[in-house]
Amino acid sequence: IIYSGYSCTQGWFFTPCTSDPGLRGLKNILRMHVKKINSSEWEQVPVPTSVRAIVALNLHSYGSGRNPWGNLTPEYLEKRGFVEANVDDGLVEIFGLKQGWHASFVMVDLISAKHIAQASAIRLEVRGGEWKDAFMQMDGEPWKQPMSKDFSTFVEIKREPFQSLMISGD
C-alpha cells in the first residue's frame, strides 16, 4: 500500500498522463557516471529516455529471487560491450525499469529490463528542480531523499574489497 501511494505521487503509473513533460523519466533529473573496471576515470552514461528507475546489482537475485539482468547470449554481450554477469567479477550490472507495468513484467520474466551498463562504480547526480523528494532503496530498505531546488544530491556506489574491518585485518 505504501509503495502504491509513492508511485501515484512521483510516478511509476500516473506521471506520463498527469505531469509536465519536463518531469517525466529520469533523464531530466539524473546524470549517471560509471567507472569501468581497472579505470580511474568517470564516464558519463546517458539515461535512456524511457527509464523511470535505475537498479544496480552485484548479485543475480533481485526482488525475491528474480534475475532481471537475465542470461544474455554471447552475441548480445559482445554487441553491447558487456561480459557475463558474475557475483565475484567486481562489476555491478546497471539496468533500468521503464514504468510500473514494465517492472511487473520484468519481475515475472515476461520481458527483460533495459540494460544500461556494467561498471566497477556508479555515481548518480540527482537534480531536484521541481521534485521535492526522490524515493530510493538500498538492500531492501527504502527511504525518501529530500531534494534541493538549487543543489544536486550525489549517490556513489562502489565495491569495497572487504566487508568488515575484522576481515581486512585493520
Side-chain angles (χ1 to χ4, degrees):
I1 294 172
I2 292 171
Y3 287 119
S4 297
Y6 284 157
S7 71
C8 291
T9 61
Q10 194 169 350
W12 276 91
F13 295 96
F14 298 115
T15 303
C17 301
T18 61
S19 74
D20 180 326
L23 300 177
R24 296 181 197 161
L26 289 178
K27 71 174 184 65
N28 297 310
I29 63 168
L30 180 79
R31 283 193 198 122
M32 181 170 45
H33 294 82
V34 298
K35 274 189 188 177
K36 301 288 185 179
I37 198 151
N38 298 325
S39 175
S40 60
E41 300 294 319
W42 288 102
E43 173 187 325
Q44 186 169 354
V45 175
V47 177
T49 311
S50 60
V51 168
R52 307 287 298 284
I54 298 285
V55 179
L57 290 180
N58 71 334
L59 304 170
H60 293 293
S61 177
Y62 173 77
S64 300
R66 305 301 188 269
N67 182 4
W69 185 257
N71 297 314
L72 308 176
T73 65
E75 295 81 20
Y76 180 84
L77 292 170
E78 185 177 341
K79 178 181 170 185
R80 296 290 309 268
F82 296 145
V83 297
E84 187 175 341
N86 289 306
V87 175
D88 60 353
D89 62 3
L91 295 173
V92 292
E93 282 69 43
I94 304 161
F95 61 89
L97 299 171
K98 298 176 184 179
Q99 293 184 5
W101 311 113
H102 179 243
S104 300
F105 289 145
V106 167
M107 290 301 119
V108 294
D109 294 327
L110 291 177
I111 57 177
S112 65
K114 178 79 173 159
H115 300 107
I116 298 175
Q118 284 180 308
S120 61
I122 177 174
R123 178 185 291 157
L124 304 172
E125 177 187 358
V126 187
R127 298 177 310 273
E130 296 298 317
W131 291 119
K132 294 181 178 26
D133 300 303
F135 299 99
M136 299 187 172
Q137 180 176 329
M138 169 102 34
D139 287 339
E141 297 298 326
W143 79 92
K144 187 164 54 170
Q145 178 67 42
M147 303 297 292
S148 168
K149 187 173 183 141
D150 301 318
F151 301 101
S152 294
T153 299
F154 290 90
V155 177
E156 190 170 311
I157 302 168
K158 62 183 179 177
R159 182 173 184 261
E160 290 294 333
F162 300 104
Q163 287 114 358
S164 75
L165 296 176
M166 291 182 68
I167 292 174
S168 69
D170 292 338

